[in-house]
Amino acid sequence: MTTPFPLGRPARIAVLASGRGSNLEALLAAFGPDEPLGRVALVISNRASAPALDKARAAGVEALHVAYGDGTTFEAEAGQALDAAGIDLVCLAGFMRILSPAFVRRYRGRLLNIHPSLLPAFRGLHAQRQALEAGVRESGCTVHFVDEGVDTGGMIVQRRVPVRADDDEETLAARIRAEEHRAFPEAVRKVLTGRARPPAEEVPG
Ligand code: GRF
């Protein structure tokens, strides 16, 4: 299936988050109930105590805890909830689990992730630590389409930050996070307006 965007109506956006939910907050602020391009309509977390769920509820958005288990039931239940809510676009915002190839294929071109590095550098866990250990002078964040690999899909938006000599993981993460909060809404806008498509759908020239 090719990407359906632009839709010609407000897109219904779901956010999957496992933790703090600061990227969720940025998406809630950018895609609230009056935004013509799209609205966050559902938040799902694999952790019942995730602050992300409280943030969704405080914004009046449906918030669902779905236990991860071995992943199979999570994907079935989350998939049902996404269908029931008529979701057009799914954003992974600090969702700390890997989704199966079948789930990824089902949402191809409609599934985005944010990662705290300038991909393809420093894929996987502890990207900020990897950047510090590598001694790079610059890092940042990437919003990308999700494909069957880990942090490998087509890139949509990157934002860069300096790495300072006295940075530790926390200070670097905070500087990157501030840029994530700009990058994710920007990437969602690009996708919903049809200005960003997964690599196989790009029109040459
Ligand atoms: C972000 O750094 C994101 O890049 C990574 O997980 C973190 C989530 O932070 N995938 P938050 O829950 O959005 O505050």
Side-chain angles (χ1 to χ4, degrees):
M1 186 184 121
T2 53
T3 42
F5 308 116
L7 292 174
R9 60 167 170 82
R12 292 178 63 74
I13 302 167
V15 179
L16 270 57
S18 301
R20 173 180 37 219
S22 70
N23 280 285
L24 166 66
E25 276 184 299
L27 291 169
L28 285 167
F31 301 100
D34 300 323
E35 170 55 45
L37 197 55
R39 290 137 198 212
V40 178
L42 176 64
V43 173
I44 300 177
S45 183
N46 57 307
R47 276 185 52 221
S49 60
L53 289 175
D54 300 324
K55 287 173 177 162
R57 289 186 191 111
V61 170
E62 185 184 352
L64 212 63
H65 165 237
V66 180
Y68 188 75
D70 67 357
T72 318
T73 46
F74 175 87
E75 291 190 1
E77 258 189 66
Q80 263 175 25
L82 295 170
D83 286 349
I87 295 302
D88 302 297
L89 180 75
V90 180
C91 296
L92 307 181
F95 182 69
M96 302 306 285
R97 291 284 181 276
I98 307 282
L99 294 165
S100 73
F103 190 92
V104 168
R105 277 196 294 271
R106 181 167 165 201
Y107 291 98
R108 217 191 103 69
R110 305 189 296 131
L111 183 59
L112 314 186
N113 180 47
I114 188 154
H115 184 75
S117 77
L118 296 173
L119 291 173
F122 313 131
R123 293 179 168 132
L125 290 175
H126 309 300
Q128 300 92 339
R129 191 187 305 166
Q130 293 185 53
L132 291 172
E133 283 170 3
V136 292
R137 293 267 183 84
E138 195 179 51
S139 190
C141 61
T142 306
V143 183
H144 63 94
F145 288 105
V146 178
D147 66 9
E148 282 93 334
V150 176
D151 303 322
T152 50
M155 293 190 254
I156 304 164
V157 169
Q158 287 194 313
R159 292 186 69 95
R160 321 178 90 81
V161 302
V163 179
R164 306 229 157 92
D166 59 352
D167 268 336
D168 58 24
E169 238 178 294
E170 258 320 294
T171 56
L172 179 58
R175 194 173 310 120
I176 293 175
R177 202 177 304 121
E179 294 307 313
E180 293 185 7
H181 301 160
R182 298 184 181 94
F184 218 156
E186 185 187 339
V188 168
R189 257 179 235 115
K190 282 179 93 167
V191 172
L192 294 182
T193 52
R195 287 177 294 140
R197 291 176 181 281
E201 283 183 33
E202 272 167 15
V203 185

